[in-house]
Amino acid sequence: MISTKLTELLGIDHPVICAPMGSVAGARLATAVTRAGGLGLVGVSYGDAAFIDEHMARAAQDGGVWGAGCVMFTFDQRPGLWDKFLGYAPPVVALSFGDFDQIRRYVSSAAASGAHVVVQVHDTEQAVVAVEAGASVLVAQGAEAGGHHKTLATLPLVPAVLDAVEGAVPVVAAGGFADGRGLAAALALGADGVMMGTRFALTEESLATEGFKKTLVSASATDTVNTRAFDVVRGIPWDEVYQARSVSNDFTREWTGRDAELAARRAEIEPRWTAAVARDDTSQRALFAGEVLDLVRDVRPAADVVHRTVTEAEDVLRRLATRVTP
């Protein structure tokens, strides 16, 4: 077993976290990861009340160390939803994508509920603000990640965040991790674990559709593109500093880089796009995935992903240790 500040703080067996991916990480996936000894997070994302009631309730019933994650700026737009979220008493609250004021408010509120508060950050300034606000754990996410991210790469970001917070809290690496080699590399950088998204999206327990899974399994990293098109068509007011990495398809090829025109024609295009998503049309729907696609070629049980990741990391670390001589 690999023991780190993260496993000790949360009381989990393995330093592996399933990212709280919206519309992908439901109760079944979060529970499977938690039962395997990692940390499973329900992806509440943009804050759908029915989704919270269904999936957070199911995760809470299973017990153990579980959590749920939300996008802070969207909860500001939905009065009462934060109280509903905290009402399920998640032992871990994962927060992402907020400005400094939102980070301070949500961290303080979540900590007051008694939860461990995990905050995803994309630069050292966000990291310092989150720790000062009372974060229990930081997730340093690099631009290799699927979905939304900033521009800094994971490899230099992780040690920079570690230096900035001077060991005040455990730091988890995210963006570019899909197996034990990545976990071993993150530990070598000084991180206390990894958060994986794409690898867990391609598991039997994820809520991802069959079309989504089939497309991602056959795709490569070079097939991905950074785009704002899916945010624009959905009318979600993301800060322009964030891009979203997706497998390229007809929709991204037509609309990436044409944000203003897409916004102006949204009333015309959004209904057709939503209907395409409903029928799992992978030529149109968002296919968020990270640069790890070349490493993910199958759909596995989530527990198998956790165990293989840890076992492989242990083997890598043992081999590396033999290279050190007196």
Side-chain angles (χ1 to χ4, degrees):
M1 292 178 61
I2 299 172
S3 178
T4 71
K5 290 193 294 183
L6 177 73
T7 61
E8 293 169 1
L9 176 69
L10 300 183
I12 57 178
D13 293 332
H14 307 305
V16 176
I17 301 176
C18 172
M21 299 165 283
S23 302
V24 172
R28 185 175 174 224
L29 176 55
T31 297
V33 173
T34 290
R35 287 177 176 173
L39 174 63
L41 297 174
V42 174
V44 173
S45 193
Y46 299 118
D48 177 89
F51 188 93
I52 288 174
D53 285 335
E54 177 183 357
H55 291 274
M56 290 188 68
R58 286 169 54 194
Q61 287 174 355
D62 193 71
V65 181
W66 67 282
C70 67
V71 174
M72 286 177 274
F73 76 82
T74 61
F75 271 62
D76 265 5
Q77 302 165 357
R78 294 166 171 79
L81 205 62
W82 179 243
D83 290 336
K84 174 185 283 291
F85 178 97
L86 290 182
Y88 287 102
V92 178
V93 171
L95 303 172
S96 58
F97 304 112
D99 59 29
F100 291 161
D101 174 66
Q102 289 162 341
I103 290 173
R104 293 184 181 102
R105 285 190 287 109
Y106 282 96
V107 169
S108 175
S109 177
S113 76
H116 292 293
V117 187
V118 177
V119 181
Q120 181 173 289
V121 299
H122 309 89
D123 55 48
T124 57
E125 194 172 11
Q126 288 180 337
V128 171
V129 170
V131 169
E132 290 175 346
S136 309
V137 178
L138 296 181
V139 174
Q141 186 213 49
E144 295 91 330
H148 292 87
H149 58 83
K150 274 190 169 182
T151 58
L152 299 180
T154 305
L155 186 64
L157 175 62
V158 171
V161 168
L162 285 161
D163 290 348
V165 301
E166 299 179 327
V169 298
V171 174
V172 173
F177 301 100
D179 58 22
R181 293 171 296 178
L183 173 56
L187 295 173
L189 288 173
D192 298 287
V194 294
M195 176 182 281
M196 302 193 300
T198 304
R199 176 61 274 188
F200 281 117
L202 296 177
T203 58
E204 294 176 0
E205 296 88 348
S206 91
L207 295 174
T209 66
E210 288 305 310
F212 180 99
K213 292 179 181 179
K214 182 178 179 179
T215 300
L216 265 61
V217 165
S218 62
S220 299
T222 53
D223 296 322
T224 65
V225 61
N226 283 322
T227 182
R228 297 188 70 251
F230 296 115
D231 298 329
V232 175
V233 76
R234 292 181 295 177
I236 302 175
W238 276 90
D239 189 312
E240 292 186 8
V241 301
Y242 294 105
Q243 296 283 314
R245 184 180 301 281
S246 173
V247 174
S248 179
N249 59 12
D250 289 348
F251 191 81
T252 64
R253 285 186 283 272
E254 180 175 4
W255 290 109
T256 296
R258 300 168 63 191
D259 296 349
E261 181 183 355
L262 180 56
R265 295 178 57 188
R266 181 170 176 265
E268 163 200 350
I269 295 167
E270 189 273 336
R272 296 200 305 266
W273 181 84
T274 299
V277 172
R279 62 177 182 268
D280 198 20
D281 183 347
T282 56
S283 74
Q284 299 295 311
R285 63 164 299 149
L287 299 165
F288 294 135
E291 290 186 353
V292 299
L293 279 176
D294 294 322
L295 310 179
V296 184
R297 292 304 183 199
D298 56 14
V299 176
R300 301 178 186 168
D304 185 57
V305 171
V306 174
H307 295 148
R308 287 194 188 196
T309 297
V310 174
T311 299
E312 185 177 20
E314 291 169 347
D315 291 342
V316 171
L317 293 171
R318 290 190 189 99
R319 290 200 305 272
L320 290 175
T322 66
R323 299 183 182 183
V324 180
T325 57

